[in-house]
Amino acid sequence: MAVDVAVLLILGIVIVFSCRGGGLKAGHALVCAVFGLYLAGTQNIGPFVKDVTASVAHLLSGLRL
């Protein structure tokens, strides 16, 4: 659990500096994806992330373009 928190903190800091640095590149997007995977794997935030993702997917599937 302590390792997950440290990894989340480090990845979060990297994302903040990447966004402030002028834009997201492929490497930054990979860091964001890994951050999301770690965040979804936590016990407290994980179910919330999964519920929001399912809700957004359901919303997008109902759109008619």
Side-chain angles (χ1 to χ4, degrees):
M1 180 72 173
V3 174
D4 289 340
V5 173
V7 170
L8 282 171
L9 183 63
I10 291 170
L11 290 173
I13 291 170
V14 169
I15 290 170
V16 168
F17 282 117
S18 296
C19 290
R20 291 183 68 196
L24 244 49
K25 296 180 175 65
H28 303 139
L30 180 65
V31 169
C32 291
V34 171
F35 178 77
L37 290 173
Y38 268 101
L39 191 61
T42 60
Q43 293 178 359
N44 296 333
I45 305 287
F48 174 73
V49 170
K50 291 177 185 175
D51 290 343
V52 169
T53 304
S55 296
V56 170
H58 181 69
L59 176 75
L60 292 177
S61 69
L63 292 177
R64 297 185 188 263
L65 300 175

